[in-house]
Amino acid sequence: SGTDEHGLKIQQAAAAAGTSPAELCERVSGLFRQALTQAGVAYTDFTRTSEPRHQRAVRHFWGALRDGGVLYKGSYEGWYCTPEESFLPESQLAEGTDAQGRPCKVSLETGHEVHWTKEENYMFRLSAFRDPLQNWLRDNPRAIFPDPFYQCVLRWLDEDLPDLSVSRERNRLQWGIPVPSDPTQTIYVWVDALVNYLSVVGYPESHGAWWPAVHHVVGKDILKFHALYWPALLLAAGLEPPERILVHCHWTVRGQKMSKSLGNVVDPSVCVGQYGVDGFRYFLLRQGVPERDCDYYDEKVVKLVNSELADALGGLLNRSTAPSINPSNTYPRFSQPCFPKVLDSREVKGTGRVCVEDYKLVAAVALLPVQVDSYFKGFQIYKALECIAQCVRQTNGFFQRHKPWKLDRRDAAEQLWLDTILHVTLECLRVYGTLLQPVVPHTADKLLSRLAVGPGERGLSGLTFLARYDGKPCPFEGRQLGPDTGILFHRLGK
């Protein structure tokens, strides 16, 4: 992760705040780092485009473009949007009013005012890369995901592809990296910013260990820069485009776009305080669908988190580990005669204690790790969480159906059945806790600690469910459970 720190809007914001661009960036990048830490997000590197390693990489990349013969000096004019740091075509403009109420042109997407700008810049021959880009996308139909964004880029490639301005006049923009061998020009902020994907993996010397097997995660509003300009620049510099570009939509608030003027901007640090880190993460990942805008409002968070984390998951753990039902506080033994293996759940006769729904539960949870892994890899985290939530509901149904609290522990046969019910339930919980670790790390840790699952037993690769059902040994069977960790997830108030 990291911060893109150069450009005209930073230069102007610093001047307005009476500080230097470098001081402003130091403070703001610190706030981003703080927000990531607060949200429990780990990163291998936090890159800043004002760092010497990045500036060196950008200068080298510029040299590769220059040596490839794809840059030329030309006059450029058009509508420039400073907050977006980009030139916009007429098709992306609308009529608006400025701060003084005078008519002006604004960006259709953001509503920001644009200004007619004419200057002498270095240009990049984007028009020469239509065929290479089309070939790249045809050969890699999953290079841009989800599919609607892939189709969108293909459409752009059928339209006019004007050459791209890749520098600004130095007298207008001092806060940026100067063009090597031409101090009158500053490298355009977007070219500079995109190169951070290379500088962070050691470009120009050691990037080969990572590149091009990388996945970018970007918002839909910057798709053109990442899926059109960036791959073209890479090809021009003799590099492959990234393996995948994963695109996500935006959050609206009660159906409206977030904006400072409307006063409906959601502050993540406030949300973490209200819902806890895990509550907030769970909501965003459970409800965030990459291919369309998703709506946010407080009541929705409370309802979802209470029902799925506090009640369904937390309630199941409490009920199945309660001293009244498991006085020895152990991982109970599984009895194969009580829960005989069948090859087809439709063969189950209605005479025994195990019913068709129980076999359906076992089959669903056995499939869950592969299913969740596939959805995570496919950037469809919401689908993975939907599958887990469905299985948690099924497990609650299983527990409720067989009412273990009504069984007589003095009867040996009843005790075997009670232990088997608890064993199946705890095995389900162990799978859910393992799979939920990337989403709700604290809650998952609490759950797995209660089940006495050690740090080395929490990986996805060795995750087997209900081994005893298949006649194999279960390392957890008979183990003393961990100490009571209390309420797994406290219900949220209104």
Side-chain angles (χ1 to χ4, degrees):
S1 192
T3 41
D4 301 332
E5 301 186 3
H6 292 134
L8 191 59
K9 68 175 174 187
I10 306 287
Q11 185 175 298
Q12 290 176 350
T19 185
S20 71
E23 285 167 337
L24 178 75
C25 291
E26 181 68 33
R27 184 176 66 78
V28 175
S29 73
L31 293 174
F32 275 98
R33 263 196 296 246
Q34 195 181 312
L36 290 174
T37 304
Q38 191 184 17
V41 177
Y43 44 84
T44 47
D45 201 316
F46 191 95
T47 181
R48 297 178 57 192
T49 58
S50 57
E51 291 172 342
R53 62 170 174 167
H54 173 71
Q55 301 195 21
R56 184 171 151 269
V58 171
R59 286 193 290 270
H60 191 277
F61 190 81
W62 183 275
L65 294 176
R66 184 191 56 222
D67 297 347
V70 294
L71 300 180
Y72 65 94
K73 200 90 176 268
S75 181
Y76 193 87
E77 57 183 314
W79 293 103
Y80 193 76
C81 178
T82 300
E84 294 173 45
E85 294 286 14
S86 64
F87 284 97
L88 299 177
E90 288 283 348
S91 60
Q92 287 179 28
L93 300 178
E95 297 299 327
T97 51
D98 65 14
Q100 282 73 45
R102 295 176 302 221
C104 68
K105 298 263 189 196
V106 297
S107 162
L108 194 60
E109 169 72 15
T110 63
H112 292 130
E113 188 177 354
V114 296
H115 300 276
W116 186 260
T117 307
K118 184 176 181 180
E119 45 185 57
E120 181 95 350
N121 294 333
Y122 283 96
M123 305 295 290
F124 168 66
R125 295 185 198 280
L126 179 64
S127 49
F129 288 88
R130 186 192 305 275
D131 288 349
L133 289 173
Q134 285 177 329
N135 293 337
W136 163 58
L137 288 176
R138 283 200 195 100
D139 294 344
N140 300 281
R142 287 177 64 76
I144 299 164
F145 182 84
D147 187 63
F149 298 112
Y150 173 78
Q151 299 299 338
C152 176
V153 177
L154 285 178
R155 283 195 300 276
W156 284 337
L157 284 168
D158 284 335
E159 295 168 6
D160 194 26
L161 271 192
D163 287 352
L164 203 59
S165 168
V166 286
S167 72
R168 303 291 315 270
E169 289 177 352
R170 189 78 185 161
N171 58 11
R172 287 178 194 256
L173 176 63
Q174 298 84 46
W175 181 241
I177 301 169
V179 167
S181 73
D182 188 348
T184 68
Q185 295 278 315
T186 300
I187 295 173
Y188 181 43
V189 60
W190 266 103
V191 177
D192 158 6
L194 286 162
V195 175
N196 88 65
Y197 293 118
L198 284 172
S199 59
V200 80
V201 290
Y203 180 83
E205 292 88 18
S206 54
H207 60 285
W210 280 93
W211 203 272
V214 295
H215 290 47
H216 297 340
V217 182
V218 304
K220 65 175 182 178
D221 53 323
I222 49 175
L223 179 61
K224 190 169 267 186
F225 291 94
H226 282 84
L228 210 59
Y229 305 157
W230 178 226
L233 289 163
L234 285 164
L235 291 168
L239 293 161
E240 292 286 312
E243 192 174 294
R244 288 193 90 188
I245 299 167
L246 302 165
V247 191
H248 61 80
C249 288
H250 295 161
W251 284 96
T252 57
V253 177
R254 298 189 186 276
Q256 286 186 301
K257 194 170 179 175
M258 275 193 225
S259 83
K260 286 177 186 167
S261 57
L262 284 174
N264 65 347
V265 175
V266 176
D267 183 340
S269 61
V270 171
C271 295
V272 167
Q274 278 179 318
Y275 313 124
V277 177
D278 281 5
F280 192 43
R281 285 167 64 113
Y282 186 80
F283 173 79
L284 294 177
L285 292 167
R286 175 80 166 89
Q287 294 283 302
V289 179
E291 55 265 42
R292 64 173 185 269
D293 285 352
C294 300
D295 204 34
Y296 176 94
Y297 51 93
D298 295 326
E299 298 88 332
K300 197 176 181 182
V301 185
V302 171
K303 191 176 174 186
L304 178 90
V305 172
N306 279 348
S307 74
E308 294 191 358
L309 282 188
D311 299 345
L313 190 66
L316 187 62
L317 178 68
N318 283 352
R319 295 165 82 196
S320 57
T321 57
S324 58
I325 211 158
N326 187 354
S328 63
N329 196 41
T330 53
Y331 211 97
R333 298 189 180 281
F334 179 88
S335 165
Q336 277 167 305
C338 285
F339 208 124
K341 182 165 184 174
V342 295
L343 295 174
D344 186 345
S345 62
R346 287 169 296 191
E347 295 171 8
V348 180
K349 304 289 180 285
T351 50
R353 281 178 139 158
V354 187
C355 63
V356 176
E357 281 77 14
D358 303 337
Y359 285 105
K360 282 182 180 168
L361 167 69
V362 167
V365 181
L367 278 176
L368 198 58
V370 174
Q371 230 175 0
V372 167
D373 187 39
S374 165
Y375 282 137
F376 275 2
K377 283 179 178 151
F379 195 51
Q380 293 176 301
I381 298 164
Y382 71 102
K383 284 192 178 176
L385 296 183
E386 215 169 86
C387 291
I388 296 171
Q390 173 62 29
C391 283
V392 172
R393 280 194 292 275
Q394 279 179 269
T395 316
N396 271 301
F398 166 76
F399 199 81
Q400 192 64 34
R401 193 160 49 244
H402 296 298
K403 299 181 170 52
W405 58 91
K406 287 192 170 178
L407 296 173
D408 184 358
R409 231 183 261 107
R410 291 164 301 186
D411 180 322
E414 296 264 286
Q415 179 69 59
L416 279 178
W417 177 228
L418 170 65
D419 286 351
T420 303
I421 294 167
L422 294 181
H423 183 95
V424 172
T425 306
L426 297 192
E427 277 289 274
C428 289
L429 281 165
R430 183 173 63 83
V431 170
Y432 308 148
T434 304
L435 297 176
L436 284 169
Q437 287 174 109
V439 178
V440 284
H442 306 101
T443 304
D445 174 58
K446 214 171 167 184
L447 192 160
L448 295 171
S449 298
R450 180 70 176 107
L451 300 182
V453 181
E457 300 170 314
R458 299 181 178 189
L460 185 65
S461 56
L463 184 58
T464 51
F465 166 66
L466 209 57
R468 293 278 277 110
Y469 178 71
D470 293 310
K472 295 171 186 159
C474 169
F476 302 97
E477 195 175 55
R479 188 184 287 190
Q480 194 70 29
L481 291 180
D484 186 353
T485 48
I487 294 170
L488 184 66
F489 194 93
H490 285 273
R491 291 191 101 249
L492 301 173
K494 288 277 184 289

